[in-house]
Amino acid sequence: MAKLTVRAIEAAKPKDKPYKLTVDKGLYLRVGTNNEKRWIVRYVVNRKQREARLPAPYGNGDGFLSLAQAIAENARIQALARDNIDYQERLKEQHAEAVRHRTLEEMHNLTVQDLFDVWVTDGVARQNGNAELMRLFSKDVLPQLGDKQLRLLTDKDVLAMLRRMLKRGVTRLTVLAYRDLSQMLAW
């Protein structure tokens, strides 16, 4: 089978309906009515024929796949298929892993303020609409601990905040702040 050349791909013009050109074994180029040229790979996994669209259209530069790159990607996908690995399933797994990784990164950098914002909205509902809770945290807790990352928050940080409150002579508020902070961190 003769392989399609760059010149032949460039010469492919749009028609009334989209059509496919065979580029290589299992590799096709779909020419759309708007002259967009997309790579399609057909492969067989577990006796089932699958078709996948490569993530970038034909072209050169960032955001495009050249003929050589598409042929190399086709070879990689065909090799995976020979090992009974579905390219599309692998992409889904990689995407899910990337989302998990981003979520862990975001959670890793959460501050006390971030946790409080979510907790006061979704995690706690007091009779006064959380007004007293927000006042207590905005006056005593968040100015001292708000910028602290949760992963770096220590007992010493909390004790220092509570001791400052005790020095002001607000024993009852100190107990409430400790209980509310404990509840938030447990949530």
Side-chain angles (χ1 to χ4, degrees):
M1 166 174 52
K3 293 185 178 184
L4 208 58
T5 63
V6 172
R7 183 173 284 172
I9 292 172
E10 296 288 338
K13 300 297 177 204
K15 296 182 180 177
D16 293 339
K17 293 183 178 179
Y19 65 97
K20 291 180 186 172
L21 298 172
T22 303
V23 177
D24 199 1
K25 184 177 180 180
L27 180 63
Y28 302 89
L29 186 73
R30 180 184 180 276
V31 181
T33 56
N34 61 354
N35 202 29
E36 182 180 50
K37 297 172 181 169
R38 282 288 199 184
W39 297 110
I40 296 175
V41 176
R42 284 192 186 151
Y43 58 98
V44 177
V45 173
N46 296 326
R47 298 182 184 168
K48 292 182 184 176
Q49 185 170 352
R50 304 276 298 172
E51 188 173 283
R53 191 171 87 175
L54 295 183
Y58 168 75
N60 292 313
D62 289 342
F64 294 97
L65 282 178
S66 68
L67 175 60
Q69 291 169 324
I71 289 172
E73 189 66 10
N74 177 47
R76 188 178 73 78
I77 292 170
Q78 299 298 338
L80 287 171
R82 283 191 294 277
D83 293 336
N84 285 325
I85 299 171
D86 191 337
Y87 167 73
Q88 294 179 71
E89 293 300 319
R90 179 174 265 194
L91 278 181
K92 287 179 188 175
E93 291 168 4
Q94 288 172 343
H95 178 71
E97 182 62 30
V99 167
R100 275 193 300 275
H101 183 71
R102 267 194 315 274
T103 303
L104 286 174
E105 274 295 314
E106 289 170 3
M107 288 174 57
H108 194 68
N109 294 323
L110 282 179
T111 63
V112 173
Q113 177 72 54
D114 296 331
L115 179 61
F116 175 75
D117 293 341
V118 174
W119 178 63
V120 83
T121 304
D122 301 330
V124 65
R126 305 274 167 89
Q127 285 182 338
N128 62 3
N130 296 336
E132 183 62 27
L133 185 66
M134 288 188 279
R135 190 206 64 75
L136 174 65
F137 269 70
S138 64
K139 180 164 175 36
D140 293 312
V141 179
L142 297 176
Q144 295 176 47
L145 301 177
D147 293 335
K148 189 81 168 176
Q149 288 182 346
L150 286 171
R151 65 185 174 93
L152 301 176
L153 185 66
T154 64
D155 295 344
K156 290 180 181 179
D157 298 324
V158 175
L159 282 172
M161 183 227 21
L162 294 172
R163 286 186 180 129
R164 283 188 201 108
M165 289 179 72
L166 286 173
K167 281 183 183 177
R168 283 193 4 239
V170 288
T171 307
R172 178 73 182 133
L173 281 179
T174 305
V175 171
L176 289 175
Y178 174 72
R179 286 182 183 168
D180 290 339
L181 186 60
S182 297
Q183 181 184 357
M184 181 184 78
L185 292 172
W187 180 77

